Amino acid sequence: MALKYISNSGDKVITTREISDSKNIPYDLLSKIMQTMKNENILSSNQGSSGGYSLSKRPDEIPLYNLISAIDGNVNIAECLKESPVKDCSMTDNCSIKSPVMLLQKEVEDLFKRKTISDFV
Amino acid sequence: MALKYISNSGDKVITTREISDSKNIPYDLLSKIMQTMKNENILSSNQGSSGGYSLSKRPDEIPLYNLISAIDGNVNIAECLKESPVKDCSMTDNCSIKSPVMLLQKEVEDLFKRKTISDFV
DNA sequence: CTAAATAGGACTATGTTAGTCCACATTCAA
DNA sequence: TTGAATGTGGACTAACATAGTCCTATTTAG
């Protein structure tokens, strides 16, 4: 919703406060999410009194996949598919359904890579 | 993995113990999952000393969607899309990205409905 | 009868994540 | 030069979801 808001605001720099007020999203929470998106290069920021955020790229150049990875850390259908699984499954090495699961993972990834922020504005 | 095991065992009735031993899955845990799949009509069961489980349908007639709904209760990309959201989002009614999110939900659903257990055996 | 199954309720431990709070750094403009 | 408006970042909490366990029925073939 925040990215949509920014997308629809032309080239203006947008403050967290403005989005928070306009969409009734708790300021502190949104603030954290904006920071995360900044750190993951989805947003650019300007500090200071007339600062704020803007998209780092055009909406159609930001895959949904990137946004979700940025915020959730990954886009995986199963824990065992994460790059660094918190808890590795005791049977990862001889999992009998590993390859079809990985195929499905790939298909989900592709879907989320085809979608971009412009599909949500 | 359990469904694959049963699928590959012909028409024999398969016990939880057999799968548990063969795949090194904790018996009690697998037991719960088998019960859930039974209750959700993915498996049929026979009680008693020569009892066990069998698929209620052919593998290609069981969509992955049904399996996941059975076990997780839903196949949703967001809490707000559940039939009975545990916590309803304060902005559900004026969510600015509701319709594209629902479209994506539909696409994910379709993918999981196209996949069946036979894709995993 | 009894052994081998499924059935099911209650419980625990662990991890995740939304959400909050506070102190700090940066910038602009009066 | 100062103060208000902004982003930055760390630490913390509360709530919830879920894997996993334990214990006690119930069913049924031999």
Side-chain angles (χ1 to χ4, degrees):
Chain A
M1 291 172 67
L3 296 183
K4 172 174 184 171
Y5 190 97
I6 296 174
S7 296
N8 289 336
S9 303
D11 286 338
K12 255 195 312 177
V13 158
I14 303 295
T15 67
T16 300
R17 181 63 65 191
E18 180 177 347
I19 302 175
S20 150
D21 286 348
S22 146
K23 295 295 168 187
N24 280 298
I25 301 168
Y27 175 81
D28 283 328
L29 177 57
L30 180 59
S31 194
K32 271 281 171 286
I33 296 170
M34 300 298 274
Q35 284 173 42
T36 302
M37 292 192 289
K38 155 72 193 326
N39 289 331
E40 300 291 329
N41 294 310
I42 287 169
L43 293 175
S44 304
S45 68
N46 301 113
Q47 282 188 312
S49 72
S50 59
Y53 293 97
S54 54
L55 293 188
S56 66
K57 295 176 188 171
R58 294 204 321 267
D60 65 296
E61 292 174 327
I62 306 176
L64 180 60
Y65 181 86
N66 294 27
L67 175 60
I68 297 183
S69 310
I71 292 181
D72 289 345
N74 66 85
V75 186
N76 290 312
I77 61 172
E79 173 72 21
C80 58
L81 297 170
K82 288 186 189 172
E83 274 186 41
S84 0
V86 171
K87 180 181 183 177
D88 31 49
C89 176
S90 59
M91 50 192 105
T92 296
D93 291 333
N94 59 347
C95 172
S96 64
I97 55 173
K98 193 181 226 173
S99 101
V101 168
M102 286 177 76
L103 174 59
L104 177 58
Q105 166 67 29
K106 184 70 171 46
E107 294 178 275
V108 171
E109 270 183 25
D110 287 347
L111 175 56
F112 281 75
K113 282 175 177 166
R114 283 199 302 275
K115 294 273 173 184
T116 69
I117 298 310
S118 64
D119 293 316
F120 293 80
V121 306
Chain B
M1 290 173 67
L3 295 183
K4 172 175 183 171
Y5 190 97
I6 297 175
S7 296
N8 289 336
S9 304
D11 287 337
K12 256 195 312 178
V13 158
I14 303 295
T15 67
T16 299
R17 181 63 64 189
E18 179 176 349
I19 302 175
S20 152
D21 286 347
S22 144
K23 295 295 167 187
N24 280 298
I25 301 168
Y27 176 82
D28 282 328
L29 176 58
L30 180 59
S31 192
K32 272 279 171 288
I33 296 170
M34 300 297 275
Q35 284 172 42
T36 302
M37 293 192 288
K38 156 70 195 326
N39 289 332
E40 300 290 330
N41 294 310
I42 288 169
L43 293 176
S44 305
S45 67
N46 300 111
Q47 283 187 308
S49 71
S50 58
Y53 294 97
S54 54
L55 293 188
S56 66
K57 296 175 188 170
R58 294 205 320 266
D60 65 296
E61 292 174 327
I62 307 176
L64 181 59
Y65 181 87
N66 294 27
L67 176 59
I68 297 182
S69 310
I71 293 181
D72 290 346
N74 65 84
V75 186
N76 290 311
I77 61 172
E79 173 72 21
C80 58
L81 297 170
K82 289 185 189 172
E83 275 187 40
S84 359
V86 170
K87 179 181 184 177
D88 32 50
C89 177
S90 59
M91 49 192 106
T92 296
D93 291 333
N94 59 348
C95 172
S96 64
I97 54 173
K98 193 180 225 171
S99 100
V101 168
M102 286 177 76
L103 174 59
L104 177 57
Q105 166 68 29
K106 184 71 171 43
E107 294 178 274
V108 171
E109 269 182 25
D110 287 347
L111 175 55
F112 281 75
K113 281 175 178 169
R114 282 199 303 276
K115 295 271 172 184
T116 68
I117 298 309
S118 64
D119 293 316
F120 292 79
V121 307

